[in-house]
Amino acid sequence: MNAISASAATKPRFGGRSGGDFIREYFVYIALAALIVFFAFASPYFMTTQNVANIGRQTATVSIVAVGMAFVIINAQIDLSVGSVFALCGMASALVMQYVVNFWLLGALAAVAVGVVFGFLNGLVTVKLGVPSFLVTLGMLGVARGIALLITDTKPVLISNPTYFQIFGESTFLGLPIAVIWTLVIVAIGVVVLHKSIFGLRVFATGGNPQAARFTGVNTQRTIISSFVITGALVGLASLLFTGIAHAARPDLGSGLELDVIAAVILGGVSLFGGRGTIIGVLAGSLIIGIMNNGLVLMGVSSSVQQIIKGIIIIAAVSLSKKR
Amino acid sequence: MNAISASAATKPRFGGRSGGDFIREYFVYIALAALIVFFAFASPYFMTTQNVANIGRQTATVSIVAVGMAFVIINAQIDLSVGSVFALCGMASALVMQYVVNFWLLGALAAVAVGVVFGFLNGLVTVKLGVPSFLVTLGMLGVARGIALLITDTKPVLISNPTYFQIFGESTFLGLPIAVIWTLVIVAIGVVVLHKSIFGLRVFATGGNPQAARFTGVNTQRTIISSFVITGALVGLASLLFTGIAHAARPDLGSGLELDVIAAVILGGVSLFGGRGTIIGVLAGSLIIGIMNNGLVLMGVSSSVQQIIKGIIIIAAVSLSKKR
Amino acid sequence: MSAPNAQSGSDSEETGTLLQATGLSKLFSGIYALKDVDFDLKAGEVHALLGPNGAGKSTLIKILDGVQPQDEGSVEVDGRPRTSGDIATVFQELSLIPALTVAQNIFLGNEIHNALGLVRTGEMNRIVKVLTDRLGLNIRPEEPVENLSVASRQLVEIAKAIHRNARVLVLDEPTSTLTKADQLLLFKSIRDIQKAGVGIIYVTHRLTEVFELADRVTVIRDGRKVLTAQVSDMEMKSLVSVITGTKTDEVGPSAQDFDRYVPADEAQLTDGPRLQVSMLSGDRFSNISLTVAPGQIVGIAGLIGTGRTELLETIAGVRRSSAGDIRLDGKSVSFKSTAQAVSAGVALVPEDRHQSGVILQHSILRNLALAHSKALRRGPLMDDGAARTLVRGLIDTLQIKAVSMGSPVQSLSGGNQQKVVFAKWMQPGVRVLLLDEPTQGVDVGARQEIYKVIHRFAEEGAAVLVVSSDFVELQELCDEIYFMTSTTMSEPEPVTAETTDQYIYSALNERVIKSHERD
Amino acid sequence: ATSTTSTPQSAAVVIDAASITPQGIVGKGKNGEVPENVDALKLSAADEAKVKAGKFTAAISMNTMDIDWSRLTLQGIQTTFDSLGIKVIGVTDAKFDVQQQISDLQNLITKKPDVIISIPTDDVATAQAYKQVAAAGIKLIFIHMPAAGLTYPADYQSVVAPDNQGNGEIAAAALSKYIPKDGVAGIVDFAVDFYTTNQRTLRVKEWFADNRPDVKVKEVGFTDTNAVGPTTANFVTANPDIKGLFIIWDSPAMQSVASLRNAGVTLPITTVDLGTEDGVDMASNGYIKAIGAQRPYDQGEAEALAAANALIGNSAPAWVALPSVAVTPGNLLESYKSIFRTDAPKEIVDACKASGICGK
Ligand SMILES: Nc1ncnc2c1ncn2[C@@H]1O[C@H](COP(=O)(O)OP(=O)(O)OP(=O)(O)O)[C@@H](O)[C@H]1O
Ligand SMILES: Nc1ncnc2c1ncn2[C@@H]1O[C@H](COP(=O)(O)OP(=O)(O)OP(=O)(O)O)[C@@H](O)[C@H]1O
Ligand SMILES: [Mg+2]
Ligand SMILES: [Mg+2]
């Protein structure tokens, strides 16, 4: 081998990563740690066992849905319908248990099934009709909310099934609230599926360069539809964790959920343009949002000021972290 | 001339576009016309002078803000903060006229200035800190709303300035409500600036391929910031049209405005990925949304069903129109 | 990796046909990009596919591969309709996934996995390591592709295609961004797999490669096949004339015609240097000095990765320099943005035209109007009529082959896209023209056109600085050549009849070894 | 198609507030409780001393903080707590989001206040969170309604509410005066099921059914509280026979006024809740003819007193209701003062001066 080809081959790797790069790469985690330290000093209640459990419970919805949304966004798509579908899934499980059989599994399946159906529709319309998912899911946001409101003429539906409450709401496991257990399970599965499975590779490929992925034999349409279905199923699960503690479903729940979830996902380092991101980062992003909500209330900050602070923190956290 | 260029020259100019292509290209307008015809048959009140004037008034906010949003989205950016900034602009003009001088122009300038400042901040943070505008403006959404609520401790602020009411609210001109005149003026300016000016060309280039635009000597950062500023200024103007008829400003107004505006823009054929779109299409998109809101109420459709129908129409209109 | 079970000796020479395409046609908006083309490939053969820009080569390849459906005709491999695994293609536009690693890219679509669908990364990395070692590439399997240079990505693409064990390997202009050394590496790999019985279709605009590598050659023009022949029966001149469609004696100017050396010091005596770079350092290069006089065309020969692109980009205001000085007509400049550089008359034709050269989805008109907006502006508005006139003129001058000026640039063939990039700078006031691989993917005919354009820039007093990995091009085009390594720049050497591409290659090699020894 | 309701007719009607004020409290508690008077909450001097000695802490969980009503309620609570030495350690804003309120309550429990005063964003879905409050040994005072399934006095110690049905009755009785025989009245209602809102609208319909069977009632719903204006204008366009409107809440009413005024339609409107905007409109002889108002400040005081009673182990009534105030141009200025505990703002006073209809 001559000098020339050798030199071509032995290029320095991306020029010795500097300390600044490191901070940028892991900024979500640093920001999360900084928030925790700050609130620990600012409020004596913050680090209590009870409050930590609360944070876990309160972030479960966003964390779980964000795992699905990560798949969707890495695919270079978006899902704005999660909030409305969340409400509809809850209604489905409550209604099934009230009017069909009061069996927890059936209720659970109903919620997940509704989520899956809407996820499938979102994906199908996106890929088959070539409508940008922003609009498809904006439309579905209206459709799902309308159905949820219509189905009981806007009235809430009660649930009375102790097993259901145990599994999705009130029990603890290894000292952790069940919602936290569910979150951990979903995050773990999400990590394996996104980062270790063939499907995960295809998600990255589809989001990173759809045409190339197609040329290489990746069924990008199936990948996209599957990601929406995953999100739908997780929205269904998240709705169970809500109805499990509320003992009722309401048709007007979850409005604005999509913004919290998308903020968590992007805060967690997923590129809105697709092809890039990690599940653990997304969990960190969700925790940042959850901890801000919790800590600012504990500190007694008024809700207008809370909105200002949260807005600034979101911008600051992303601007200091790695680009995109 | 050799064979190569000769063959290029003898090709038909538009490569024989088929009828289907034509329908797809102009589908927004066809959808708009279809809606109008439908509602004209469905409700005897739809085509009355008064109702047509109502539609014009009711769509003014979305149409005007959508013109600005078109610039932002063609730049491959997005602005989620318009709803909150709308409220804050209204508060600014009402407060200035109440506590500084009760002069209509000062009030108007205050609203526009606040819009411009927020637009500038949105743009600046987006380009200088490299944060995706989705997140920047999501953050600003919180910041602007927080400030609007904080500034008077959530109280509405009254306006009593008859000139102001005339100019922005209640007068008519050539038989048209003044809000319609404002809409037409802004749309006309928007058409010229986007489609006939050098700046417009740069907006398309920046959204189409920012790097290539930069290599061609376009200051893409300035283009992006300017687009956000334009949107901010138009949000300010739209807020005047609201306070001009309400005779008061409220800090909680405008939530959800961003979704209507973005839907109008995309319905109007602007690509969410940037680089493509027309102002007239955007106006048509806004009218579709306004006419749906109007016509469905005239028909006495319940609000849940309205949401379902609107969702379906949005998806259908885009899926039948030209891709992306 | 083992070779596919090529049809062995039992087949005679005549029946060794591996791939047979018959009567292929393809219409784009009513125009034939391909018309009734037959094509065949034998096992173990390298079949060069040639033709001017926009002839339909990439279209043919896409149809053979199956990523684009044909309107008429059939493709058979081994006498059966083609199936998906038969053909592996390296497309003209690279198709790797930036965030995935080299190994993940190579295995994309047929990953090694366990029963649960989980990927066995270690196994994949090991196999890829063996493959890259065999091909002589020093690329880590676990490196994300986005960290690699353009050339390395190209090599990864080729490794990916080879890895697929396909019967047919298609390479669409693989060498357009490669330097000599990498090209040799590539040729060696091609000969290896050729021996294993794989058929290779090789698209290129560098005709010397055809004679080095190919067994047969097919030329298509305007979507029609005009020639299939044994390479041994052809010579350069006749091949060029078939491609350009001219008679042999009309064939474009040879290198000697452009041999019009303007000595640097002589030019400086009259006007002073137009562009003077002294001890400039920046991203991936340092202490670079060079001088270009008005009317002079100066080339830089260097290795891939020495930072030539970065050097040009620094001069053009895309990047900041860390030290040193850039002078324009004697005045020190430091551009904060390309906008400033452009308005000072410094224009760059970038290496990656899709990323930086054109806005693919926009029309030719819109792309060119943007670049020429200075001349077309009437106050804040743009003169639409003037823009159309201007663009029509540019299309004619550069003979850009397009349906209309409203056609999106992405519907043009690669070479015609490159002409659009040149057309952007065909405007008064360009004082310095920086060219990074200016004829990448440009056909022989058009290449001569572009050389003429470059000369015209020079004649009108622009200083032209050319970076090219094609040493023949440097030799044909330049008055002087610098040899660049990442830390050194030679004194300029005049280009004479002795400055062959072989000479440039060895001169450069020498310097690289020297600079390594110094380290 | 301009409105057929002529201004002379509406100008002719002068509503006597007394004539539309219901006798006593109209509604019953959510679980059928008989309403008690605020007087039942009075603290004796000894009790007051006991409260002060207790150094108690309190927290408040609201459904929204974006409206006058919340601000006044808080003021009432805060002033009373201040005088009793009870410290407010947290106020949360659920922004009408049930999930948020559940989180808010959990977070407030963490801060271990002695009592929580709260208005449920929804009486059903938040119930479990309130049970946690009770389970944590924290006293609980509800505003407007108890959460479903909680028991008095074990889980919560009192509910302080306005007479929601009374509000509806005032608005209906006033509106009725503008609807000619066999005429049509319109209702613009929030289209999502909420207990207190339902109470008011239901009572409006009931009242018309009982007292004006000749009147036909038409209805339109909205879900976006910030886009009511167009809905009302379109509703009126499609139903030109409507002679007057009941619109739920003051902000939707004023958004509707803006749209109607702009469309050149004049209609009498009655609503619930007095604010500056609807006050000015009423004072200037505009669209708003009568308001069935709550007394948020007084309610706040009562809530604080109920909390104080609960803290020292006194039993507070299960349901304390405050009578509604019928606000008309005739009593606008006094009503404002009694409801807001401050003089009416300059804008209202000026409007009164200009129109000359106040106090008549
Ligand atoms: N997607 C498309 N839509 C419309 N026209 C197209 C499309 N793709 C290719 N063409 C046209 O088909 C013709 C053949 O293009 P092709 O890319 O096959 O040329 P090529 O021989 O590969 O040229 P080059 O050497 O420049 O790469 C060109 O005229 C081109 O403009
Ligand atoms: N090791 C590396 N670290 C960072 N960037 C790199 C590296 N190698 C290549 N690149 C990037 O890839 C691009 C192309 O690299 P390449 O090695 O081809 O460039 P070059 O040496 O500047 O010149 P040329 O491509 O003209 O031979 C450059 O823009 C460079 O920024
Ligand atoms: Mg090609
Ligand atoms: Mg380069």
Side-chain angles (χ1 to χ4, degrees):
Chain A
M1 200 183 271
N2 67 18
I4 294 181
S5 60
S7 92
T10 55
K11 254 173 219 168
R13 285 202 45 200
F14 236 83
R17 184 181 278 151
S18 70
D21 281 352
F22 180 85
I23 292 181
R24 282 169 167 277
E25 175 102 36
Y26 296 101
F27 195 82
V28 219
Y29 309 107
I30 297 171
L32 179 59
L35 269 183
I36 292 175
V37 171
F38 172 77
F39 283 125
F41 279 99
S43 165
Y45 308 106
F46 185 77
M47 287 305 263
T48 58
T49 331
Q50 189 190 3
N51 193 54
V52 172
N54 276 349
I55 293 174
R57 269 190 286 263
Q58 291 162 12
T59 51
T61 302
V62 172
S63 298
I64 289 175
V65 178
V67 168
M69 189 71 86
F71 281 84
V72 169
I73 297 185
I74 291 174
N75 253 314
Q77 307 293 335
I78 201 155
D79 188 348
L80 299 178
S81 70
V82 291
S84 308
V85 174
F86 178 81
L88 187 57
C89 290
M91 294 295 282
S93 84
L95 285 169
V96 161
M97 288 195 291
Q98 183 149 106
Y99 294 106
V100 186
V101 191
N102 191 1
F103 175 44
W104 69 272
L105 185 58
L106 205 70
L109 287 180
V112 173
V114 167
V116 165
V117 166
F118 270 81
F120 183 72
L121 284 177
N122 281 334
L124 194 74
V125 175
T126 299
V127 303
K128 294 296 176 194
L129 302 187
V131 182
S133 51
F134 192 98
L135 266 193
V136 174
T137 57
L138 186 62
M140 286 295 178
L141 182 160
V143 172
R145 178 72 67 201
I147 296 177
L149 287 168
L150 201 63
I151 201 167
T152 58
D153 194 15
T154 79
K155 281 192 230 342
V157 184
L158 292 175
I159 300 174
S160 55
N161 184 316
T163 322
Y164 185 93
F165 300 153
Q166 284 301 305
I167 295 176
F168 300 114
E170 286 150 5
S171 57
T172 57
F173 183 74
L174 304 173
L176 294 170
I178 195 82
V180 173
I181 301 292
W182 278 108
T183 310
L184 294 177
V185 168
I186 295 301
V187 166
I189 295 177
V191 167
V192 172
V193 173
L194 183 62
H195 300 296
K196 306 278 168 202
S197 83
I198 294 187
F199 174 72
L201 285 184
R202 296 195 173 158
V203 169
F204 280 106
T206 303
N209 188 343
Q211 184 168 337
R214 229 170 9 248
F215 284 6
T216 316
V218 174
N219 187 333
T220 53
Q221 301 203 336
R222 193 159 58 197
T223 308
I224 291 173
I225 294 177
S226 307
S227 300
F228 278 105
V229 167
I230 290 173
T231 303
L234 292 179
V235 168
L237 173 63
S239 83
L240 297 175
L241 300 183
F242 174 81
T243 48
I245 62 161
H247 297 197
R250 279 194 66 88
D252 58 347
L253 283 175
S255 72
L257 177 61
E258 64 279 4
L259 291 185
D260 269 0
V261 170
I262 295 170
V265 170
I266 302 178
L267 215 46
V270 174
S271 163
L272 253 186
F273 303 100
R276 206 178 299 274
T278 65
I279 294 289
I280 295 296
V282 166
L283 177 64
S286 164
L287 286 175
I288 287 179
I289 291 181
I291 286 179
M292 277 197 295
N293 281 332
N294 173 277
L296 292 172
V297 170
L298 290 189
M299 283 176 69
V301 175
S302 86
S303 74
S304 343
V305 176
Q306 274 184 42
Q307 295 194 40
I308 300 176
I309 294 177
K310 281 194 266 181
I312 293 173
I313 291 185
I314 287 179
I315 298 174
V318 181
S319 69
L320 291 172
S321 74
K322 215 173 159 194
K323 295 247 173 63
R324 195 90 347 132
Chain B
M1 200 185 263
N2 66 19
I4 299 177
S5 61
S7 89
T10 52
K11 275 170 195 167
R13 276 205 57 183
F14 289 104
R17 184 182 277 149
S18 71
D21 279 353
F22 180 85
I23 293 182
R24 280 168 170 279
E25 176 101 37
Y26 295 101
F27 195 82
V28 219
Y29 309 107
I30 298 171
L32 178 59
L35 269 184
I36 292 174
V37 170
F38 172 77
F39 283 125
F41 280 98
S43 166
Y45 306 105
F46 184 75
M47 286 305 263
T48 58
T49 333
Q50 191 193 356
N51 193 54
V52 171
N54 272 351
I55 293 174
R57 274 190 283 261
Q58 289 165 13
T59 51
T61 301
V62 171
S63 297
I64 290 175
V65 178
V67 169
M69 189 71 86
F71 281 84
V72 169
I73 297 185
I74 292 174
N75 253 317
Q77 305 294 334
I78 202 155
D79 188 347
L80 299 178
S81 70
V82 291
S84 307
V85 174
F86 179 82
L88 187 57
C89 290
M91 294 296 282
S93 84
L95 285 169
V96 161
M97 288 195 292
Q98 181 148 108
Y99 293 107
V100 186
V101 191
N102 192 0
F103 175 44
W104 70 271
L105 186 58
L106 206 71
L109 288 179
V112 174
V114 167
V116 165
V117 166
F118 270 82
F120 183 74
L121 284 178
N122 281 334
L124 195 74
V125 176
T126 299
V127 303
K128 294 295 177 194
L129 302 187
V131 183
S133 51
F134 192 97
L135 267 193
V136 174
T137 58
L138 186 62
M140 286 294 178
L141 182 161
V143 172
R145 179 70 67 198
I147 296 177
L149 288 167
L150 203 60
I151 201 166
T152 60
D153 194 14
T154 79
K155 276 196 272 296
V157 184
L158 295 175
I159 300 174
S160 55
N161 184 315
T163 322
Y164 185 93
F165 299 156
Q166 285 301 305
I167 297 176
F168 299 115
E170 285 150 8
S171 57
T172 57
F173 184 74
L174 305 172
L176 293 169
I178 194 81
V180 174
I181 302 292
W182 277 109
T183 309
L184 293 177
V185 168
I186 294 302
V187 167
I189 296 177
V191 167
V192 172
V193 173
L194 184 62
H195 300 296
K196 304 282 165 202
S197 83
I198 305 275
F199 174 72
L201 203 57
R202 293 186 180 156
V203 169
F204 279 108
T206 303
N209 182 345
Q211 187 165 330
R214 223 168 15 246
F215 274 71
T216 314
V218 175
N219 188 333
T220 52
Q221 300 201 337
R222 194 156 60 197
T223 309
I224 291 172
I225 294 176
S226 306
S227 300
F228 278 105
V229 168
I230 290 173
T231 303
L234 292 179
V235 168
L237 173 63
S239 83
L240 297 174
L241 299 183
F242 178 84
T243 49
I245 64 160
H247 300 194
R250 291 190 66 93
D252 57 348
L253 285 174
S255 69
L257 177 62
E258 65 279 2
L259 289 186
D260 269 358
V261 170
I262 295 170
V265 170
I266 301 179
L267 215 45
V270 174
S271 162
L272 253 186
F273 303 100
R276 199 184 304 271
T278 66
I279 295 289
I280 296 296
V282 166
L283 178 64
S286 165
L287 286 175
I288 288 180
I289 291 181
I291 286 179
M292 278 196 296
N293 282 332
N294 174 276
L296 291 172
V297 174
L298 291 190
M299 286 177 67
V301 175
S302 84
S303 65
S304 339
V305 177
Q306 276 183 41
Q307 296 195 39
I308 299 176
I309 295 178
K310 282 194 269 179
I312 293 173
I313 291 186
I314 287 180
I315 297 174
V318 181
S319 69
L320 291 172
S321 75
K322 216 171 156 199
K323 297 246 173 65
R324 203 92 339 138
Chain C
M1 193 194 71
S2 68
N5 303 325
Q7 292 170 303
S8 43
S10 63
D11 289 322
S12 69
E13 278 287 327
E14 288 83 65
T15 58
T17 300
L18 184 56
L19 173 143
Q20 178 70 56
T22 324
L24 292 180
S25 294
K26 177 79 190 176
L27 277 160
F28 283 119
S29 29
I31 297 144
Y32 281 102
L34 273 189
K35 175 96 173 124
D36 203 20
V37 170
D38 296 338
F39 184 84
D40 72 288
L41 178 71
K42 297 194 174 80
E45 142 183 85
V46 176
H47 192 149
L49 180 60
L50 308 179
N53 293 127
K57 303 180 295 295
S58 297
T59 306
L60 174 59
I61 280 168
K62 283 180 187 156
I63 290 173
L64 294 180
D65 186 89
V67 298
Q68 222 167 48
Q70 66 269 35
D71 294 328
E72 284 160 41
S74 64
V75 181
E76 291 183 341
V77 173
D78 283 337
R80 293 179 309 273
R82 168 215 51 224
T83 55
S84 61
D86 287 337
I87 300 176
T89 306
V90 177
F91 293 101
Q92 202 168 357
E93 299 83 28
L94 295 184
S95 49
L96 296 173
I97 312 299
L100 298 188
T101 65
V102 169
Q104 287 169 335
N105 264 290
I106 287 177
F107 273 95
L108 187 65
N110 53 3
E111 298 83 356
I112 306 178
H113 58 88
N114 62 17
L116 291 172
L118 300 188
V119 175
R120 291 168 56 186
T121 310
E123 179 82 359
M124 286 177 7
N125 286 344
R126 209 177 45 70
I127 293 173
V128 168
K129 183 87 183 99
V130 171
L131 173 67
T132 50
D133 282 353
R134 190 168 69 74
L135 295 176
L137 313 178
N138 190 355
I139 296 172
R140 298 181 340 120
E142 54 277 4
E143 187 76 36
V145 160
E146 62 197 342
N147 291 356
L148 299 179
S149 69
V150 175
S152 300
R153 289 182 204 185
Q154 188 95 44
L155 295 169
V156 171
E157 282 260 33
I158 292 162
K160 175 176 161 188
I162 292 171
H163 168 76
R164 312 244 138 173
N165 270 352
R167 311 293 319 277
V168 177
L169 175 63
V170 185
L171 301 168
D172 195 354
E173 298 191 37
T175 51
S176 61
T177 53
L178 298 192
T179 51
K180 191 82 182 172
D182 291 301
Q183 180 200 328
L184 294 178
L185 202 60
L186 173 70
F187 284 7
K188 186 178 148 293
S189 314
I190 290 177
R191 292 200 182 97
D192 281 351
I193 51 180
Q194 184 184 7
K195 275 191 216 112
V198 176
I200 292 147
I201 302 174
Y202 190 92
V203 182
T204 187
H205 290 296
R206 295 184 181 180
L207 300 187
T208 47
E209 293 176 358
V210 175
F211 293 95
E212 256 176 82
L213 196 65
D215 304 311
R216 280 197 300 163
V217 54
T218 289
V219 176
I220 55 176
R221 216 168 57 214
D222 282 338
R224 282 162 222 268
K225 182 159 103 174
V226 290
L227 171 86
T228 297
Q230 293 292 327
V231 170
S232 50
D233 298 341
M234 303 285 299
E235 56 181 88
M236 180 64 100
K237 265 203 159 159
S238 55
L239 192 53
V240 171
S241 74
V242 175
I243 292 170
T244 56
T246 48
K247 291 198 207 85
T248 321
D249 48 353
E250 286 175 13
V251 166
S254 70
Q256 283 71 26
D257 297 336
F258 292 117
D259 193 4
R260 13 155 254 121
Y261 170 50
V262 181
D265 44 5
E266 199 174 290
Q268 279 165 31
L269 280 181
T270 52
D271 290 333
R274 171 131 286 169
L275 174 70
Q276 187 168 35
V277 172
S278 354
M279 297 308 280
L280 193 70
S281 301
D283 300 343
R284 295 174 63 228
F285 66 88
S286 53
N287 302 327
I288 299 297
S289 302
L290 60 85
T291 308
V292 191
Q296 204 184 19
I297 303 174
V298 169
I300 298 177
L303 297 182
I304 287 192
T306 48
R308 294 167 303 164
T309 295
E310 285 80 357
L311 172 63
L312 295 192
E313 288 180 352
T314 307
I315 298 172
V318 178
R319 297 165 185 269
R320 291 302 101 77
S321 62
S322 53
D325 181 42
I326 304 170
R327 283 170 188 276
L328 202 56
D329 286 328
K331 249 183 60 203
S332 181
V333 290
S334 93
F335 302 124
K336 301 240 158 19
S337 67
T338 43
Q340 288 181 3
V342 166
S343 60
V346 176
L348 171 66
V349 172
E351 174 180 37
D352 182 345
R353 73 174 155 262
H354 286 180
Q355 279 290 318
S356 330
V358 287
I359 301 165
L360 280 171
Q361 73 272 34
H362 285 181
S363 63
I364 303 175
L365 175 64
R366 201 172 251 177
N367 269 283
L368 294 182
L370 181 73
H372 291 265
S373 59
K374 216 183 198 172
L376 298 172
R377 74 184 312 159
R378 306 283 176 267
L381 300 186
M382 210 206 28
D383 185 335
D384 238 21
R388 285 172 180 280
T389 314
L390 181 85
V391 170
R392 192 164 299 123
L394 289 168
I395 288 176
D396 281 350
T397 313
L398 291 182
Q399 307 204 338
I400 296 170
K401 188 182 167 190
V403 175
S404 80
M405 68 175 78
S407 309
V409 171
Q410 64 194 350
S411 71
L412 303 186
S413 73
N416 280 300
Q417 291 178 358
Q418 184 71 354
K419 289 188 197 169
V420 173
V421 181
F422 265 90
K424 288 178 24 177
W425 300 124
M426 304 258 313
Q427 49 179 297
V430 170
R431 294 198 280 169
V432 173
L433 187 64
L434 306 167
L435 307 176
D436 198 353
E437 310 286 359
T439 58
Q440 213 188 105
V442 172
D443 67 49
V444 270
R447 183 175 311 188
Q448 296 306 330
E449 310 280 348
I450 286 177
Y451 290 169
K452 275 189 218 154
V453 174
I454 295 172
H455 281 290
R456 196 146 93 191
F457 274 106
E459 275 151 22
E460 283 171 14
V464 181
L465 185 59
V466 188
V467 162
S468 176
S469 303
D470 182 351
F471 296 151
V472 179
E473 174 162 287
L474 288 178
Q475 173 215 11
E476 283 193 22
L477 199 54
C478 299
D479 306 317
E480 287 182 352
I481 297 185
Y482 286 86
F483 294 89
M484 176 173 169
T485 68
S486 51
T487 49
T488 62
M489 189 68 133
S490 71
E491 288 301 309
E493 282 187 25
V495 174
T496 63
E498 288 82 61
T499 321
T500 59
D501 56 328
Q502 197 51 49
Y503 168 81
I504 298 174
Y505 175 58
S506 19
L508 182 60
N509 216 355
E510 230 168 75
R511 281 169 210 281
V512 171
I513 291 165
K514 235 192 277 164
S515 84
H516 273 266
E517 281 167 353
R518 234 179 297 131
D519 290 346
Chain D
T2 47
S3 166
T4 48
T5 310
S6 58
T7 327
Q9 188 196 355
S10 28
V13 181
V14 173
I15 303 174
D16 172 16
S19 73
I20 54 169
T21 305
Q23 298 303 307
I25 305 291
V26 179
K28 287 215 165 65
K30 189 161 172 256
N31 306 317
E33 300 93 340
V34 178
E36 291 253 8
N37 198 288
V38 200
D39 296 340
L41 297 169
K42 277 248 163 63
L43 289 170
S44 69
D47 284 346
E48 229 181 284
K50 228 163 138 191
V51 173
K52 282 183 182 152
K55 300 240 175 300
F56 294 114
T57 56
I60 303 163
S61 162
M62 301 296 279
N63 56 351
T64 177
M65 290 290 289
D66 293 356
I67 55 178
D68 277 353
W69 178 88
S70 345
R71 205 166 34 82
L72 272 178
T73 300
L74 274 185
Q75 271 175 22
I77 296 175
Q78 186 77 55
T79 325
T80 312
F81 274 168
D82 284 352
S83 72
L84 293 172
I86 299 175
K87 193 166 164 239
V88 176
I89 56 171
V91 180
T92 61
D93 172 5
K95 304 197 170 308
F96 288 115
D97 178 351
V98 173
Q99 234 176 334
Q100 180 65 46
Q101 189 165 38
I102 293 174
S103 298
D104 286 345
L105 288 167
Q106 288 171 344
N107 292 340
L108 290 179
I109 293 170
T110 307
K111 296 179 83 172
K112 299 190 177 23
D114 297 305
V115 63
I116 286 180
I117 301 180
S118 177
I119 171 165
T121 293
D122 164 61
D123 56 329
V124 177
T126 51
Q128 293 311 306
Y130 286 111
K131 281 188 184 156
Q132 288 174 19
V133 172
I138 298 169
K139 304 280 187 227
L140 184 56
I141 306 296
F142 280 116
I143 306 176
H144 272 210
M145 59 184 164
L150 274 76
T151 52
Y152 169 86
D155 296 330
Y156 68 96
Q157 286 70 43
S158 187
V159 178
V160 178
D163 182 9
N164 281 310
Q165 297 216 9
N167 288 331
E169 181 163 326
I170 290 168
L175 184 59
S176 152
K177 308 215 182 229
Y178 294 89
I179 313 290
K181 183 147 176 48
D182 301 323
V184 179
I187 294 182
V188 181
D189 190 19
F190 186 49
V192 182
D193 186 83
F194 273 103
Y195 172 73
T196 40
T197 316
N198 284 351
Q199 290 290 297
R200 301 169 189 177
T201 316
L202 272 180
R203 184 60 199 153
V204 171
K205 289 187 213 164
E206 255 175 40
W207 190 93
F208 273 104
D210 293 348
N211 301 291
R212 287 289 304 273
D214 61 306
V215 172
K216 187 170 175 220
V217 175
K218 291 185 177 175
E219 213 179 334
V220 71
F222 61 86
T223 41
D224 181 353
T225 51
N226 287 315
V228 186
T231 303
T232 306
N234 296 334
F235 174 56
V236 170
T237 303
N239 299 282
D241 49 357
I242 286 177
K243 296 289 184 283
L245 290 167
F246 166 72
I247 302 175
I248 192 90
W249 302 322
D250 53 340
S251 167
M254 290 314 296
Q255 292 172 46
S256 303
V257 166
S259 283
L260 293 177
R261 179 170 53 216
N262 208 225
V265 178
T266 312
L267 275 180
I269 293 174
T270 64
T271 182
V272 295
D273 291 353
L274 174 62
T276 315
E277 274 186 277
D278 52 350
V280 168
D281 186 79
M282 175 185 279
S284 45
N285 197 15
Y287 287 72
I288 307 286
K289 300 303 178 192
I291 300 167
Q294 304 180 45
R295 307 161 172 275
Y297 190 97
D298 295 2
Q299 282 159 220
E301 276 183 349
E303 286 143 15
L305 286 175
N309 274 302
L311 285 171
I312 54 170
N314 288 355
S315 109
W319 185 272
V320 179
L322 282 84
S324 312
V325 186
V327 183
T328 61
N331 69 0
L332 175 61
L333 295 173
E334 308 92 86
S335 303
Y336 193 98
K337 184 155 190 185
S338 85
I339 291 171
F340 283 80
R341 297 298 174 93
T342 134
D343 283 328
K346 194 172 156 297
E347 292 97 335
I348 295 184
V349 175
D350 289 351
C352 278
K353 273 187 202 139
S355 70
I357 63 164
C358 300
K360 298 234 172 80

